[in-house]
Amino acid sequence: MRRLALPALLALAALAAGCTMPERLALGTPRAQVLAKLGTPTLTAALPDAGERLLYSRQPAGQQVYHVDLDAQRRVARVEQVLTLEQFQALRLGQDTREEVRLRFGPPALVERVARFDGDIWTYRILELGEPRQAHVHIDPAGVVRQVLFTDERRGEPDSRAD
């Protein structure tokens, strides 16, 4: 019963949020209205042709990061949820940098280190086909992405190996 309650509560919360959800922004919405509805973005970045990206992250608790891309007239041209398996698989190992990861996905839910890798591991919470997962981006000391791994996210479930 508890497993059913959480999705129902999340759905109810999403409905209550209404138009404050980035994916509900209409194309052409002015920047000022976006900020009034969504608040201050997690970060902003310049786009080609004088555009601007407003990045709204729900990390560390949530599993979404939205790009709200504005055109040169500062109106919504595109909205995209980017915490997807495909987006992480598109990272170019040995080429993409820490800053490119930050600008694409925002701050991670967790930064940690392990003995077998010399560098930081940035962990993002994602959903894959409705299942909670984690994407682990390994960034070496020079700030270059070296590896991306995916694991299932275990939340509050007993470890069957402990028996």
Side-chain angles (χ1 to χ4, degrees), residues 46-57:
L47 291 175
D49 300 323
E52 180 183 27
R53 172 166 293 152
L54 308 178
L55 185 144
Y56 287 92
S57 176

Side-chain angles (χ1 to χ4, degrees), residues 97-147:
T97 66
R98 174 187 325 268
E99 183 63 10
E100 288 166 326
V101 172
R102 188 183 74 80
L103 289 174
R104 182 184 279 181
F105 303 115
L110 176 68
V111 177
E112 57 192 336
R113 296 180 71 86
V114 295
R116 294 185 182 180
F117 178 74
D118 183 22
D120 292 335
I121 300 173
W122 286 16
T123 299
Y124 292 87
R125 300 181 66 236
I126 66 172
L127 285 175
E128 181 185 2
L129 301 173
E131 293 297 319
R133 306 226 39 221
Q134 294 179 328
H136 308 280
V137 181
H138 293 66
I139 302 171
D140 71 16
V144 177
V145 174
R146 293 296 169 190
Q147 185 175 24

Side-chain angles (χ1 to χ4, degrees), residues 48-85:
D49 300 323
E52 180 183 27
R53 172 166 293 152
L54 308 178
L55 185 144
Y56 287 92
S57 176
R58 294 186 176 157
Q59 295 283 295
Q63 297 154 319
Q64 298 85 20
V65 168
Y66 291 91
H67 288 179
V68 177
D69 290 349
L70 307 175
D71 60 21
Q73 289 72 44
R74 299 295 186 247
R75 295 185 173 277
V76 174
R78 190 181 98 174
V79 177
E80 180 182 17
Q81 198 289 112
V82 296
L83 283 190
T84 66
L85 187 70

